[in-house]
Amino acid sequence: MNLEGFIKQTFHITDTKGKIMKNLFWAVLGKIVMLAGGLFVGVLVARYLGPEQYGLMNYVISYVFLFQTIALFGLDSIEVREEARAQKDMHAIIGTAFYLKLMLAVAAIAASLVTAAIMGSDCNTIVMIAIYALSIIPNSFTVVRNYFTAIVDNEYVVKSEIARTLMGMGIKVILLLLNAPLIAFIAASAFDFFLLASGYAISYSSRIGSIREWTFDKHYAVFLMKESFPLLLTNAAVIIYQRIDQVMIGQMIDNASVGFFSVASRIVEILIFIPTILAHTIAPILVKAREESVTDYEMKSRRFMSISIYATLALSLATSLLAHWVILLLFGKSYLPAVIVLQILSFKAVSVALSNSAGCMLVAEGLQRYAICRDALGCIVCITLNLILLPRYGIVAAAWVAILSNIAAGYVADLFIPSYRHLFRMQSYALFCGWKELFKTRQITQ
């Protein structure tokens, strides 16, 4: 008996649960490697480029990311659903989604360049936007990842993502040794996506079959577009209020300020990973608990939410207190203006924990259809407050707005949506009385 079989037999793990646990393991490992690799290279590149150029680089990346929504069009979730149902030929589902994404990618690239010109960006910035916008095209190969997600077998695509991360790190280190200009790092960041697409294609070919078997069905394409459009609106709202702050900082202040905000955001991404992975881990448990007992489901949801919030609060508080040393040791003296941003922005992780824990309940209860209202509110709050506060208070305001927009979307909105008010009550309990649940972690998984 191999090690995997021994573990299953010892801990009475069924094949289905084992498959889910293995899938979760690879998903977590891939995310950890990506975050660690991104932080390592990000530190080196930030130190090399300096706040001004590093800020311009992140402005370009964030700007293009806003237009990526057009190419995604909410197709990912619908593709996974359709493949899981298996009511249509697999090659037609994957192929139709792939070719739709290719066409939408061209539209997204054109939109990013046209709007950049209208907004008065200089020629150098437009060239960098054009180079990085090419990364939207290989993103079409996410159809492969979606298929492996649908069949609960992420191992091969995660291995591709880990390989991409390591190769991308190597390329950027070589550029550092060669004293390459900023535009080379922009090109390398775009090339990362071509590496990833190649990895996805190889994984599919070796595990499933030839990508030449993919077909395009125009009638099915219309169906996918109709089904995906509501998710396009939701995704657009989320991406705007999560990413537009760096674009607005670049437009309304300067590139150096984007650089300071970016280094703080990169550290906060690691904090946000904690409540995110907790949500992914607990979600299946909550779904099962609700099917068996509503009372048990409510108890486990309340405790999960409380533990997620307070565990993240402890990490955020520690990061805030150590912000000066974190920035100084990682990025150097030139980035010390980012300290106050990190001190504030670290608490964004708590707002994410508050929102994600409620999001698990939305999925368990099948109430996702109203999620667009939450995200729309977050988008409105983010843009409005940044327009008002950024010119006067700078990146400190942007840090507060990032937290407030998350709270608006993931907490306040629940008060105004009748179907979500029970979530608001539970979130309020978790915020103010959740410390009582901190010693009851075992009861969540029982």
Side-chain angles (χ1 to χ4, degrees), residues 78 81-82 218-228:
I78 301 301
R81 185 195 71 186
E82 292 297 300
K218 63 180 181 181
H219 298 294
Y220 193 63
V222 173
F223 167 78
L224 288 179
M225 295 284 279
K226 287 181 178 178
E227 290 289 301
S228 302

Side-chain angles (χ1 to χ4, degrees), residues 7-40:
I7 293 173
K8 285 184 178 180
Q9 183 175 346
T10 303
F11 295 98
H12 307 289
I13 299 173
T14 64
D15 288 339
T16 301
K17 286 185 178 179
K19 196 173 184 180
I20 293 172
M21 290 175 65
K22 185 178 180 181
N23 207 51
L24 180 62
F25 165 77
W26 282 106
V28 173
L29 179 62
K31 189 68 174 178
I32 290 173
V33 171
M34 185 186 73
L35 285 173
L39 179 61
F40 173 73

Side-chain angles (χ1 to χ4, degrees), residues 336-351:
L336 283 178
V339 169
I340 189 167
V341 178
L342 180 57
Q343 288 174 330
I344 298 167
L345 200 60
S346 59
F347 292 97
K348 178 182 177 181
V350 181
S351 67

Side-chain angles (χ1 to χ4, degrees), residues 75-81 83-84 94 97 101 139-152 154 157 200:
L75 283 166
D76 289 342
S77 298
I78 301 301
E79 182 197 343
V80 171
R81 185 195 71 186
E83 288 164 353
I94 301 175
K101 285 188 175 184
N139 257 346
S140 304
F141 278 90
T142 53
V143 294
V144 173
R145 190 184 219 296
N146 295 336
Y147 176 72
F148 279 102
T149 298
I151 62 174
V152 196
N154 273 346
V157 292
Y200 283 161

Side-chain angles (χ1 to χ4, degrees), residues 13-14 16 51 110 134 177 192 198 208 230 266 284 304 324 327 335 339 370 379 391 444:
I13 299 173
T14 64
T16 301
L134 293 175
L177 295 174
D192 282 349
S198 300
I208 308 299
R266 187 169 288 276
F304 158 61
H324 176 85
I327 295 295
Y335 284 94
V339 169
Y370 301 115
C379 186
I444 296 178

Side-chain angles (χ1 to χ4, degrees), residues 177-343:
L177 295 174
L178 294 174
N179 294 320
L182 171 60
I183 196 167
F185 289 95
I186 296 287
S189 297
F191 186 64
D192 282 349
F193 291 91
F194 287 92
L195 287 173
L196 184 59
S198 300
Y200 283 161
I202 292 171
S203 296
Y204 186 87
S205 298
S206 60
R207 182 72 173 165
I208 308 299
S210 174
I211 62 176
R212 294 180 180 179
E213 296 175 343
W214 294 352
T215 59
F216 181 79
D217 185 329
K218 63 180 181 181
H219 298 294
Y220 193 63
V222 173
F223 167 78
L224 288 179
M225 295 284 279
K226 287 181 178 178
E227 290 289 301
S228 302
F229 185 71
L231 294 177
L232 166 66
L233 300 178
T234 301
N235 292 343
V238 172
I239 287 175
I240 287 172
Y241 83 79
Q242 293 290 351
R243 283 283 189 161
I244 203 169
D245 45 15
Q246 295 186 39
V247 175
M248 295 182 74
I249 291 170
Q251 287 286 328
M252 301 174 71
I253 307 179
D254 54 40
N255 290 328
S257 296
V258 180
F260 300 138
F261 194 86
S262 297
V263 298
S265 298
R266 187 169 288 276
I267 296 169
V268 172
E269 283 177 6
I270 299 174
L271 295 179
I272 290 174
F273 173 67
I274 306 300
T276 301
I277 199 60
L278 280 175
H280 283 303
T281 305
I282 298 298
I285 297 174
L286 295 184
V287 171
K288 183 179 179 181
R290 190 168 189 269
E291 291 174 352
E292 295 176 352
S293 167
V294 174
T295 302
D296 186 46
Y297 161 74
E298 291 178 351
M299 178 271 292
K300 289 183 176 180
S301 297
R302 183 178 66 251
R303 286 176 184 164
F304 158 61
M305 188 177 290
S306 300
I307 291 166
S308 179
I309 289 171
Y310 275 86
T312 307
L313 177 61
L315 291 171
S316 297
L317 183 60
T319 303
S320 184
L321 293 173
L322 297 172
H324 176 85
W325 299 108
V326 170
I327 295 295
L328 183 62
L329 291 173
L330 290 179
F331 297 97
K333 291 183 179 179
S334 60
Y335 284 94
L336 283 178
V339 169
I340 189 167
V341 178
L342 180 57
Q343 288 174 330

